[in-house]
Amino acid sequence: MRWILRAAGALAVLLSMVPVSAAVVPDADIRAILSERIGGQKGVGIVVGIIDPHGQRIVSAGGFDGKTLFEIGSVAKVFTALLLSDMVERGEVKLNDRAAHDLPITFAELATHTSGLPFMPPVDVATRAQMYEYLREQPRRGNAAWDYSNLGYWLLGEALATRTHTDFDRLLRRRILDPLQLRETTAHLTPAQATRLAPGYDASLHPAAPLSSMPAYSMMSAAGMGWYSSADDLLRFLAYVLGLRRSPLQPAMAAMLDTTRAASSPRSRQALGWVIEGDGGDRLIVHDGGTLGYAACVAWDPTHRTGVVVLSNQFGDVGDIARHLLRPSIPLHKPTPAKPKEITLPPAMLALYPGRYEAPGEGVFVIELTDGHLTIEAPSDWGLPKLQLHPASDREFFAAELPLRVTFETKDGHVAEMIVYPPRGQGGVAAKRASPR
């Protein structure tokens, strides 16, 4: 009897090491996860799509379905990278070709975020000419360490379009979206599609402006700005990626994972577009996306040929849900309040904080006091508009639109520095006060 128990225990250990497919997660459990994440907030919903060799299904909360449209943000970078991979397969470009003749940056470096270009151009850039002027001012780096760059993907799209003598949106539609029959994936909603668009909300449940309404973002289609899709459409895309549907683009899809660079964590690699997390049979292939009013994630398990799409109409992060459904051992994030409780501070207290704060490697943050409110202006390549700061305590402040927080630190009774906690998920950025204002 003891050997039977020992054998059963050994088998349990082995089974626990085998990745669990999302197909075995009951719908009721998924709905419970979504309901907890929404937290009873009116107007907010999450749609989950799951696909595997047995079929596909939609699980949702908040009244949306598989046909509901959402902004997908940087998830669309996968389509840009697939376009590059397809053009390599066709012999139109090579990964090690320079993307622009006057820049020592290759197509591979742009697609793997190793170009050394900033995260974003300044938010006041309003024309292609201004974008190129800003680009020419940047150090000529290339072959740099991984650093996520929307600007790099903008240049990638420009370079691919130039090689084919057309514009990027038209090229992507003709080469990628139409062949895969992704009719709901678009940067230009029809009137009928607009009726199925979930309204986007910021971190404080206020209606969020579409990214296309901001000048710098409106030009960055290749970086995922202004793209919409549905869970149904993205599941169709995953069906091709997983080999559950056949397409002439599948060699290009497979080749996207052949070129990789070290990414942000030791167990992840940046491929063309996709991020590879884990290794061997435990790999997950993912891409997250977020805009001012939406969150998205597409993830797939090449071992079990299972994929997950998660779409939400509120700024935040749903990537943990996608990863958890594919790997239940990956924990879910704890739900957080929509925003901290705001308090009122006397004008004399607010007057202590305005000034210029310098952060090595990031740039200068400017805090101003206008009409009784503090505002923060981040370095230009953060790609953020000027935001109002709301007090949560006498030294802790938050932005309502995005989960950006600021903590002021004092020394000898004077404000010496501040810690900025960005909305992009990295740790706090320390900025020393250079001068009062």
Side-chain angles (χ1 to χ4, degrees), residues 22-316:
V24 303
V25 180
D27 289 2
D29 290 353
I30 298 175
R31 288 194 187 93
I33 291 171
L34 304 186
S35 296
E36 182 181 24
R37 184 59 56 90
I38 293 172
Q41 300 175 116
K42 293 183 179 180
V44 176
I46 302 177
V47 177
V48 169
I50 299 169
I51 186 170
D52 63 19
H54 303 289
Q56 65 183 56
R57 67 191 200 270
I58 296 291
V59 183
S60 66
F64 301 138
D65 59 26
K67 297 184 181 344
T68 304
L69 291 162
F70 300 78
E71 280 190 343
I72 60 172
S74 288
V75 166
K77 285 184 174 71
V78 171
F79 300 124
T80 303
L82 177 56
L83 175 61
L84 168 63
S85 187
D86 178 57
M87 290 180 65
V88 171
E89 290 290 315
R90 293 169 181 250
E92 294 172 317
V93 299
K94 296 179 181 178
L95 288 177
N96 290 327
D97 285 349
R98 284 191 175 192
H101 66 85
D102 57 343
L103 293 174
I105 300 174
T106 68
F107 285 105
E109 289 164 348
L110 292 173
T112 59
H113 299 289
T114 54
S115 66
L117 291 175
F119 172 67
M120 280 290 292
V123 292
D124 58 355
V125 167
T127 66
R128 289 177 72 250
Q130 290 175 334
M131 193 83 87
Y132 276 112
E133 181 180 355
Y134 175 75
L135 191 63
R136 284 192 291 269
E137 294 172 353
Q138 302 309 304
R140 300 297 190 256
R141 288 176 276 191
N143 194 28
W146 185 91
D147 194 8
Y148 195 86
S149 176
N150 285 318
L151 181 60
Y153 261 74
W154 172 82
L155 180 58
L156 174 59
E158 287 283 300
L160 295 177
T162 298
R163 296 292 180 104
T164 53
H165 309 288
T166 186
D167 65 82
F168 174 79
D169 287 5
R170 187 173 293 126
L171 178 63
L172 188 69
R173 173 61 59 187
R174 186 173 73 243
R175 294 283 186 92
I176 304 298
L177 302 180
D178 282 348
L180 297 178
Q181 298 180 311
L182 302 181
R183 299 184 180 92
E184 302 281 30
T185 302
T186 180
H188 309 283
L189 295 174
T190 66
Q193 288 173 326
T195 65
R196 290 185 281 113
L197 175 65
Y201 294 96
D202 66 21
S204 295
L205 280 181
H206 296 134
L211 282 183
S212 58
S213 66
M214 300 175 65
Y217 288 88
S218 66
M219 294 183 291
M220 304 188 73
S221 179
M225 310 301 176
W227 282 92
Y228 304 86
S229 192
S230 67
D232 284 351
D233 230 35
L234 292 174
L235 286 179
R236 177 185 291 272
F237 175 61
L238 281 179
Y240 290 112
V241 171
L242 293 165
L244 304 175
R245 288 174 177 253
R246 305 303 300 172
S247 165
L249 285 167
Q250 276 167 316
M253 290 177 174
M256 292 171 72
L257 304 183
D258 293 340
T259 298
T260 66
R261 302 287 189 271
S264 57
S265 67
R267 294 197 72 232
S268 66
R269 301 283 297 177
Q270 177 70 61
L272 301 183
W274 295 110
V275 175
I276 303 171
E277 298 179 352
D279 46 45
D282 194 42
R283 290 187 306 162
L284 291 183
I285 317 298
V286 302
H287 208 299
D288 298 287
T291 70
L292 298 178
Y294 300 85
C297 183
V298 174
W300 51 285
D301 174 352
T303 301
H304 289 87
R305 299 174 77 194
T306 303
V308 172
V309 173
V310 186
L311 300 173
S312 170
N313 66 324
Q314 186 183 18
F315 182 97

Side-chain angles (χ1 to χ4, degrees), residues 398-420:
F398 64 94
E401 301 86 349
L402 307 171
L404 180 144
R405 296 180 294 115
V406 173
T407 299
F408 292 97
E409 304 288 348
T410 60
K411 184 178 181 181
D412 299 328
H414 300 283
V415 178
E417 68 174 11
M418 67 178 183
I419 309 297
V420 182

